[in-house]
């Protein structure tokens, strides 16, 4: 959720000065972009959000104790006391980089899992923990320690002026009011980073927006929230509603949501930062003493702009990092839910990096043939229906997303990975997982739904069935067999 802040609430004066600082930062960023030299290593990185459970697989509200046991700065808190986040260091995608990522993730998670067990806690990778119950929203201990989380909760509620309304309609329906933004803590994701140059950023972002739909269809893993079967990737709509700063009247006027797909193709990374300042009031108007400062290499720090950027929740977010020696720009892909296995996570990453490389370097960019609204509609359709969705694709028309992946996108991702210099055996290893997931139409979401139906058909009531579903998910996760191979019977 970003860096810590010093305040839980802010005065009108602080907000006014922060707005002025934001505009100053934005102007300085525009000037710097036109003259600066950025890192050109094209490295990749990953952040992984995790759920903590008790040994009966109910949520465990003790991330502080777990982090104390893990004792590794790569693991940090998340907003929910039953969540933690793991940050993987950057590495090169070429050669054996993806296999190094897989092996490193497995090693780090196995170590963390062993340490968590010392405080009777399990670690689970899934988009939404199936055993979450309504009483979680009434538990005062749900929020992690730290002023940033408290300030974010306060700022969202103040902007709304009323309780948070959650209204989800999928296979089943769920509607309720929450007195805080606790529902947001249910949403755990994998965030993929791609370092790009200023001139390459716009094509990479446009490409990432187009492939967000097949990404979410392939990886959907959040079908159950508060004991209801909803969207295949409920996290997408739940996150949007849980942290929505707009009261109904503002939504009716068309004010943009804080969790945002966007509304147009871009020509520069600056377009996104400018939109963030133009459209979104500050949630955490924290004034920095280093606002006018620079690194020893001359890169402006821009603390207000970077903090504000971290409170606009784009599914593909721009990142400016002044660095210690050389500044860099990154694309942060936030589409994917966590899990189900390490192999699935790295296969999803391989698909993303391969597709972005292929699309951004195409002679005729795909986004010149696709209305932005169609990309957004594809994204929502795939979030609702997963691998059962149908999408619109340029040059093809309406097509089932699973067929699109098998016939068109997997070969394109393979070409992109070859361009990046990925070892051929690894291209086959990871894209075979993607192809088979599409062929079987079994991802984490469809497995959870099918397994829950089986348990209920055998006579288990919903709550007991969800506990058993989560236990079986945990068991399969540790097998590292890709999710398309998980048995339902």
């Amino acid at each position: 959720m970003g860096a810590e802040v010093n305040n839980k609430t802010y005065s009108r004066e602080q907000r006014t000065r922060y707005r002025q600082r934001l505009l100053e930062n934005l102007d300085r960023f525009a000037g710097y972009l036109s003259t600066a030299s950025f890192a050109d290593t094209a490295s990749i990185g990953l952040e992984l959000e995790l759920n903590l459970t008790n040994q009966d697989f109910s949520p465990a509200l003790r991330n502080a104790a777990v982090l104390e046991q893990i004792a590794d700065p790569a693991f940090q808190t998340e907003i929910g006391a039953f969540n933690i986040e793991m940050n993987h260091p950057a590495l090169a995608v070429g050669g054996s980089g993806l296999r190094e990522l897989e092996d490193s993730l497995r090693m780090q998670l196995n170590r963390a899992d062993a340490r968590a067990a010392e405080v009777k806690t399990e670690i689970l990778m899934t988009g939404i923990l199936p055993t979450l119950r309504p009483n979680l929203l009434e538990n005062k201990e749900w929020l992690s320690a730290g002023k940033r989380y408290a300030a974010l909760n306060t700022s969202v509620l103040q902007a709304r002026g009323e309780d948070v309304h959650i209204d989800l309609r999928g296979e089943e329906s769920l509607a309720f009011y929450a007195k805080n933004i606790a529902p947001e803590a249910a949403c755990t994701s994998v965030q993929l980073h791609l370092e790009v140059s200023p001139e390459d950023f716009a094509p990479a972002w446009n490409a990432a927006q187009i492939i967000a739909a097949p990404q979410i269809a392939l990886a959907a893993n959040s079908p159950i929230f508060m004991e209801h079967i909803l969207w295949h990737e409920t996290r997408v709509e739940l996150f949007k509603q849980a942290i929505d700063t707009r009261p109904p009247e503002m939504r009716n006027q068309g004010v943009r949501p804080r969790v945002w797909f966007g509304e147009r193709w871009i020509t520069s990374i600056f377009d996104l930062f400018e939109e963030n300042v133009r459209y979104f009031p500050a949630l955490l108007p924290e004034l920095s003493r280093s606002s006018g400062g620079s690194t020893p290499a001359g890169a402006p720090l821009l603390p207000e702009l970077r903090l504000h950027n971290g409170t606009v929740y784009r599914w593909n977010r721009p990142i400016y990092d002044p660095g210690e020696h050389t500044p860099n720009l990154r694309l942060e892909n936030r589409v994917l839910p966590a899990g189900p296995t390490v192999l699935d996570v790295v296969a999803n990453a391989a698909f993303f990096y391969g597709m972005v490389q292929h699309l951004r370097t195409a002679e005729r960019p795909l986004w010149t043939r696709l209305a932005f609204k169609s990309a957004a509609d594809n994204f929502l359709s795939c979030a609702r229906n997963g691998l059962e969705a149908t999408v619109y694709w340029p040059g093809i028309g309406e097509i089932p997303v699973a067929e699109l992946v098998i016939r068109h996108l997997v070969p394109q991702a393979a070409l992109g990975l070859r361009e990046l210099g990925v070892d051929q055996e690894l291209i086959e290893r990871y894209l075979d997982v993607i192809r088979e997931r599409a062929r079987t139409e079994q991802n984490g979401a469809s497995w959870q739904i099918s397994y829950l139906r089986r348990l209920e058909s055998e006579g288990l009531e919903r709550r007991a069935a969800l506990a058993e579903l989560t236990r079986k998910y945990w068991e399969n996760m540790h097998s590292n067999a890709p999710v398309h191979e998980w048995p339902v019977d």
Side-chain angles (χ1 to χ4, degrees):
M1 293 294 293
E4 184 59 285
V5 296
N6 296 316
N7 301 286
K8 294 183 179 180
T9 60
Y10 300 91
S11 68
R12 294 194 303 273
E13 180 185 2
Q14 285 174 304
R15 293 182 179 278
T16 300
R17 291 178 60 201
Y18 188 84
R19 184 189 300 279
Q20 294 168 344
R21 288 269 189 93
L22 268 182
L23 294 172
E24 291 167 2
N25 279 195
L26 189 64
D27 286 344
R28 195 174 179 202
F29 185 52
Y32 185 69
L33 277 175
S34 63
T35 60
S37 296
F38 288 85
D40 58 1
T41 57
S43 64
I44 64 171
L46 178 149
E47 298 173 36
L48 174 60
E49 296 168 354
L50 303 161
N51 287 283
L52 305 176
T53 77
N54 298 304
Q55 293 177 325
D56 65 355
F57 297 102
S58 60
L61 302 176
R62 50 176 175 272
N63 60 3
V66 169
L67 289 172
E68 184 177 355
Q69 285 293 325
I70 295 174
D72 183 342
F75 289 81
Q76 302 174 1
T77 59
E78 259 293 324
I79 189 169
F82 59 96
N83 307 138
I84 59 174
E85 177 182 272
M86 189 196 82
N87 294 279
H88 193 279
L91 73 167
V93 68
S96 60
L98 289 171
R99 187 56 191 253
E100 293 168 15
L101 175 62
E102 181 184 353
D103 292 345
S104 176
L105 280 174
R106 185 174 292 112
M107 179 186 68
Q108 287 182 279
L109 289 170
N110 285 344
R111 177 182 173 277
D113 198 63
R115 295 294 181 89
E118 296 176 13
V119 287
K120 298 182 179 179
T121 305
E122 305 292 348
I123 295 177
L124 203 73
M125 290 191 297
T126 185
I128 295 177
L129 183 63
T131 52
L132 295 178
R133 298 176 186 172
N135 62 357
L136 173 70
L137 303 177
E138 302 166 6
N139 192 323
K140 296 181 180 179
E141 304 301 318
W142 74 270
L143 186 70
S144 291
K147 292 181 180 178
R148 181 185 179 96
Y149 305 123
L152 185 65
N153 183 62
T154 299
S155 293
V156 169
L157 295 177
Q158 285 179 342
R160 289 179 63 93
E162 56 189 62
D163 289 347
V164 176
H165 186 213
I166 303 295
D167 187 0
L168 301 166
R169 301 170 189 272
E171 182 171 323
E172 299 170 358
S173 295
L174 174 67
F176 62 91
Y177 284 91
K179 295 186 180 299
N180 49 45
I181 62 170
E184 190 273 335
C187 306
T188 50
S189 66
V190 174
Q191 297 164 24
L192 303 176
H193 291 197
L194 175 63
E195 189 176 284
V196 289
S197 65
E199 58 271 19
D200 290 335
F201 188 91
W205 188 86
N206 290 341
Q209 291 289 98
I210 287 179
I211 65 168
Q215 263 191 294
I216 207 74
L218 282 163
N221 196 27
S222 310
I224 298 163
F225 175 61
M226 294 298 175
E227 304 178 330
H228 289 71
I229 303 173
L230 300 162
W231 293 18
H232 280 228
E233 190 50 35
T234 304
R235 181 182 61 96
V236 165
E237 184 63 13
L238 175 59
F239 186 36
K240 176 182 174 182
Q241 293 186 20
I243 205 162
D244 197 347
T245 55
R246 305 168 302 167
E249 296 81 6
M250 301 299 284
R251 292 198 298 271
N252 294 337
Q253 292 175 40
V255 172
R256 295 160 182 84
R258 204 88 195 185
V259 177
W260 198 32
F261 188 80
E263 61 190 18
R264 63 181 177 119
W265 307 119
I266 66 168
T267 59
S268 165
I269 187 174
F270 185 76
D271 293 348
L272 302 178
F273 281 95
E274 186 179 37
E275 285 181 348
N276 289 354
V277 174
R278 181 189 302 162
Y279 296 146
F280 299 101
L283 276 183
L284 302 174
E286 187 87 12
L287 293 163
S288 171
R289 294 180 181 178
S290 60
S291 186
S294 301
T295 67
L301 297 177
L302 308 180
E304 285 83 11
L305 186 65
R306 291 164 56 211
L307 176 60
H308 183 62
N309 184 58
T311 64
V312 179
Y313 303 96
R314 294 178 182 271
W315 293 110
N316 285 294
R317 175 189 277 168
I319 301 291
Y320 163 69
D321 184 353
E324 293 184 8
H325 304 290
T326 306
N328 66 78
L329 302 176
R330 297 193 301 274
L331 170 64
E332 183 183 74
N333 177 256
R334 303 165 55 81
V335 167
L336 299 171
T341 68
V342 169
L343 177 55
D344 285 303
V345 166
V346 180
N348 291 339
F351 178 76
F352 171 75
Y353 292 124
M355 284 302 307
V356 168
Q357 175 66 16
H358 177 75
L359 292 182
R360 77 174 183 83
T361 57
E363 289 187 10
R364 187 183 177 194
L366 203 60
W367 52 91
T368 65
R369 295 176 278 153
L370 181 69
F372 192 91
K373 184 179 184 302
S374 295
D377 290 344
N378 286 346
F379 178 67
L380 289 177
S381 176
C382 289
R384 287 190 185 97
N385 303 308
L387 285 167
E388 299 172 8
T390 295
V391 297
Y392 176 82
W393 209 254
I396 298 173
E398 298 286 334
I399 183 172
V401 71
E403 181 182 348
L404 174 70
V405 168
I406 295 167
R407 291 179 54 193
H408 301 280
L409 302 190
V410 165
Q412 291 174 10
L415 290 173
L417 290 172
R418 289 189 195 103
E419 289 177 27
L420 292 169
V422 176
D423 290 348
Q424 182 60 34
E425 64 180 277
L426 296 183
I427 296 175
E428 295 172 3
R429 171 178 174 78
Y430 298 120
L431 293 187
D432 280 353
V433 171
I434 297 297
R435 183 186 297 107
E436 286 303 295
R437 204 187 300 160
R439 185 187 65 80
T440 60
E441 295 190 14
Q442 179 164 297
N443 54 21
S446 59
W447 181 86
Q448 289 187 51
I449 293 169
S450 296
Y451 200 77
L452 178 61
R453 286 173 175 159
R454 178 205 145 185
L455 293 172
E456 291 185 327
S457 72
E458 294 174 352
L460 280 182
E461 55 89 22
R462 175 65 59 91
R463 186 162 292 181
L466 289 173
E468 174 57 21
L469 159 71
T470 309
R471 186 201 67 78
K472 188 64 176 178
Y473 182 104
W474 172 83
E475 183 180 286
N476 288 334
M477 181 190 76
H478 280 286
S479 76
N480 206 43
V483 70
H484 69 265
E485 295 180 0
W486 290 10
V488 172
D489 299 327

